[in-house]
Amino acid sequence: MEPIVLNGYHTLIAATLVLLLGRLLVKKIKFLQDFNIPEAVAGGLIAAAIIFSIYHWAGISFQFEKSLQNAFMLVFFSSIGLSADFSRLKQGGIPLVIFLVVVSVLIFVQNAVGVSLASAFGLDPKIGLITGSITLTGGHGTGAAWAETFTKQYGLPGVMEMAMASATFGLVAGGLIGGPVARRLVNNMKRGKKAYTKKVDTSADQYDGETFEEKDHVRFITASSTIETMALFAACLAFSSVMAANFSDLGLPQFVWALGFGVLLRNILTKVFKFDMFDRAIDVFGNASLSLFLAMALMSIKLWELAGLAGPMLIILLIQTLVMILYGYFITFRVMGKDYDAAILTAGHCGFGLGATPTAVANMQSVTETFGPSHKAFLIVPLVGAFFVDLINLGAITWFVKFLG
């Protein structure tokens, strides 16, 4: 049966309902609160389960508007770039470099584990890369690109299906393990829950520049600032579209171009032209886009494809999930200082180490809403997870492919 196609309006309505459902579930179910499961993950997985049930019993599937999901993803990454003032980036300093090293080591660990297990199961070792950093750190886009390469150059069958299933598994797993791992680390510190008070930003000197850290704080914005901010986002999306189309050989996904141009645009406008950047409007657009993108991504998951994962591949992915948990708990947390900031960094690492940067930010938000803010983590994770890690992952994958011949 042909899938039921939902246009952009219907997809947006469905995504907002998923977010409202997730908020209600997290508010009412203590288990979700205790394990700091993000609202978008809770609602998205319930929606995916409902869609799976409809497909299983009635053979009906749904096709959501993909371009809308991609647009919200690009707006989210653009908001990271537009918030990245060079003077703030200096605050990352040595911890940012150390975290980047920790993340880079995991990329090689993921590929070594994937290749070793694939060989042990009698599979082509390159299949291990598909269930390694290609899809887990790289996500759906990187997975699709390399799957096409493996199919054309090496004649490996069914690689695209494996890549999409593996990336989907990682997106779900990353959203599920980040909160619980960080919560256990925080509980070991005997840190109590924070007393949450809603902050209202009403004047320029009150804004603290914490784009994603306090997503539910009220930001005072105006119609004119909203329009000017929309123009900045439009510029980032237009630039990224042109660069991705004309420089596809570089292997950089479109969101990297959007983020990079956002960084340049912000700093040129503020440093050279003394432009007053409307950070509050960027915050609102960024957080709303993050939530909507995650909701759309999760409700679009075809759980019946995951149910069809072959035995060896499923075992490899489960082991990769365990590796991420252990690496985050014993390596990321300890190397980053064994403090509260390190625990939040670990939640973020679990998010993009298996899934994607939006998942990492959602993981961190779910924990900080309970235990308090972590400016350091929200400064470091979006930049490392959204920009630097893709460059390192590209180099690591290329090296492994050449090594395996």
Side-chain angles (χ1 to χ4, degrees):
M1 183 182 296
E2 290 293 320
I4 297 176
V5 179
L6 280 75
N7 62 26
Y9 300 117
H10 299 149
T11 300
L12 183 59
I13 291 171
T16 55
L17 291 176
V18 165
L19 289 175
L20 292 174
L21 173 62
R23 179 172 296 182
L24 178 64
L25 291 172
V26 172
K27 184 178 180 180
K28 297 294 184 180
I29 301 176
K30 191 173 184 296
F31 170 82
L32 298 177
Q33 297 174 14
D34 289 344
F35 287 90
N36 295 107
I37 304 300
E39 295 172 357
V41 175
L45 289 180
I46 293 298
I50 293 173
I51 292 171
F52 172 75
S53 300
I54 294 174
Y55 175 81
H56 179 73
W57 295 108
I60 299 173
S61 61
F62 298 88
Q63 181 178 321
F64 297 98
E65 180 59 55
K66 187 70 174 178
S67 61
L68 193 62
Q69 177 184 325
N70 292 336
F72 281 120
M73 178 187 68
L74 292 174
V75 171
F76 163 69
F77 282 108
S78 297
S79 70
I80 296 176
L82 291 171
S83 301
D85 190 290
F86 283 150
S87 59
R88 293 181 198 165
L89 295 182
K90 294 178 182 177
Q91 300 175 27
I94 298 301
L96 188 148
V97 176
I98 295 174
F99 187 65
L100 184 59
V101 172
V102 171
V103 169
S104 301
V105 172
L106 177 67
I107 290 174
F108 282 89
V109 170
Q110 285 180 330
N111 287 330
V113 170
V115 169
S116 299
L117 290 174
S119 299
F121 284 118
L123 303 174
D124 189 303
K126 295 183 184 64
I127 298 299
L129 297 179
I130 292 294
T131 54
S133 75
I134 286 180
T135 57
L136 300 183
T137 295
H140 287 82
T142 305
W146 281 98
E148 186 175 351
T149 299
F150 284 179
T151 301
K152 290 181 177 179
Q153 293 188 8
Y154 304 103
L156 296 177
V159 179
M160 183 63 73
E161 290 76 9
M162 283 187 276
M164 294 301 98
S166 179
T168 300
F169 179 96
L171 187 67
V172 174
L176 291 176
I177 70 170
V181 169
R183 185 182 182 89
R184 180 174 178 84
L185 291 170
V186 174
N187 286 338
N188 289 341
M189 303 173 200
K190 309 299 181 185
R191 182 185 177 101
K193 296 182 179 180
K194 72 169 183 175
Y196 181 79
T197 56
K198 183 173 287 188
K199 180 177 67 177
V200 180
D201 293 333
T202 57
S203 63
D205 58 357
Q206 288 183 328
Y207 181 73
D208 55 15
E210 297 172 358
T211 307
F212 299 105
E213 192 167 347
E214 299 284 359
K215 68 182 179 68
D216 288 327
H217 283 172
V218 177
R219 269 91 169 179
F220 178 76
I221 61 176
T222 64
S224 59
S225 66
T226 299
I227 292 172
E228 291 184 25
T229 304
M230 289 176 65
L232 295 175
F233 280 113
C236 291
L237 268 62
F239 178 84
S240 67
S241 177
V242 171
M243 297 302 288
N246 291 282
F247 295 93
S248 57
D249 292 343
L250 295 178
L252 295 177
Q254 186 175 348
F255 69 79
V256 173
W257 292 112
L259 185 151
F261 187 70
V263 174
L264 292 176
L265 189 61
R266 188 214 165 83
N267 288 278
I268 290 174
L269 289 176
T270 56
K271 306 301 183 187
V272 178
F273 297 98
K274 307 302 179 183
F275 180 75
D276 183 17
M277 190 68 70
F278 298 102
D279 288 296
R280 291 186 190 84
I282 294 171
D283 286 3
V284 172
F285 276 92
N287 279 296
S289 298
L290 166 65
S291 297
L292 289 167
F293 164 72
L294 277 178
M296 292 179 184
L298 290 167
M299 72 184 188
S300 300
I301 289 175
K302 296 179 174 63
L303 289 178
W304 54 89
E305 293 181 355
L306 290 183
L309 281 176
M313 185 176 174
L314 179 59
I315 293 173
I316 294 173
L317 291 173
L318 290 173
I319 292 175
Q320 291 281 26
T321 304
L322 179 61
V323 168
M324 181 70 256
I325 293 173
L326 295 175
Y327 190 91
Y329 194 90
F330 291 105
I331 305 298
T332 305
F333 175 67
R334 282 159 174 74
V335 172
M336 296 310 301
K338 295 190 292 187
D339 55 9
Y340 178 68
D341 288 324
I344 305 304
L345 283 166
T346 301
H349 194 190
C350 289
F352 71 76
L354 288 179
T357 304
T359 310
V361 174
N363 282 350
M364 295 192 298
Q365 287 176 340
S366 69
V367 180
T368 55
E369 283 173 2
T370 301
F371 294 103
S374 171
H375 184 57
K376 178 179 177 181
F378 279 92
L379 176 68
I380 292 175
V381 167
L383 285 172
V384 172
F387 185 70
F388 295 112
V389 74
D390 282 288
L391 299 177
I392 295 171
N393 193 28
L394 177 62
I397 296 168
T398 302
W399 183 86
F400 268 94
V401 170
K402 290 181 178 178
F403 176 78
L404 296 173

